[in-house]
Amino acid sequence: MTDSTPSPNLYASGPLDRSDNLRADAAWLKRAVDDSATRLVPVWRNRNLVLGEPAQPEPAFLPGDHPARDLARTEIFLGLRQGVPIFALDLEPTEDPPLGAYGAFQDLRSFGPLLDRDTAAILATARGLAHWNDRNRFCANCGSPTISSHGGWRRDCSNSECKAQHFPRIDPAV
């Protein structure tokens, strides 16, 4: 007899405390992202940075003081994992990020099933929020540019007459 209990979506579960209370604290976010203990998840063209062999991928979690931060359009606070801040780095505007010494950018769908659930969920969240931030750079109400806020989980219209706030959909997969 087989177990008919459905397993959770590989990318939907996750180990992160999303720490909504910290997202609005700009000073805390600045200190956290500058800390070498912080971990950064680079995302470029909807791909994650991966080290190692294709059969044994090891996603890159760079230290907070890594120079790749200078290339990021947006730093997105994903949450805390065992007290350690995790940020996604949206490297989209960079033509060819100079991170080749660290590995290669790969589509999560090609190596995600080889990862443990927690790591796969973190990478999916990073990819999803980077994608959402990239696709919502303009206000849906008035067309003005939006500004990333709340640790990358909200975009605010820059038009003082509109002031619309935009939030990502939280889907189990992107």
Side-chain angles (χ1 to χ4, degrees):
M1 182 181 234
T2 61
D3 183 6
S4 63
T5 305
S7 63
N9 182 313
L10 177 65
Y11 304 116
S13 62
L16 296 178
D17 171 356
R18 293 197 178 166
S19 304
D20 183 63
N21 59 317
L22 297 174
R23 290 188 210 155
D25 187 341
W28 183 89
L29 290 170
K30 174 72 174 127
R31 283 191 313 273
V33 78
D34 286 340
D35 190 334
S36 63
T38 291
R39 291 295 165 243
L40 308 173
V41 180
V43 179
W44 179 65
R45 296 186 178 172
N46 288 324
R47 297 181 185 129
N48 299 92
L49 184 59
V50 180
L51 316 169
E53 300 298 319
Q56 294 181 321
E58 183 182 331
F61 285 86
L62 305 176
D65 55 359
H66 194 280
R69 283 192 43 223
D70 297 337
L71 305 172
R73 170 175 38 203
T74 307
E75 298 165 340
I76 303 163
F77 176 57
L78 302 178
L80 299 173
R81 182 177 190 181
Q82 299 174 341
V84 175
I86 310 285
F87 284 80
L89 291 182
D90 177 8
L91 303 175
E92 186 63 35
T94 305
E95 186 57 37
D96 189 13
L99 298 175
Y102 297 95
F105 284 92
Q106 297 180 24
D107 188 327
L108 181 59
R109 291 173 289 195
S110 69
F111 68 91
L114 301 173
L115 302 174
D116 65 86
R117 288 189 184 283
D118 288 351
T119 302
I122 291 170
L123 297 182
T125 302
R127 179 183 173 198
L129 284 169
H131 177 79
W132 176 80
N133 271 277
D134 182 52
R135 297 294 183 253
N136 289 275
R137 290 181 289 137
F138 296 93
C139 180
N141 295 342
C142 73
S144 297
T146 60
I147 300 163
S148 179
S149 68
H150 213 67
W153 288 76
R154 188 176 84 200
R155 297 208 54 103
D156 297 336
C157 181
S158 62
N159 180 344
S160 61
E161 294 178 14
C162 178
K163 297 182 185 177
Q165 295 179 338
H166 305 279
F167 299 90
R169 290 175 44 175
I170 305 299
D171 294 332
V174 176

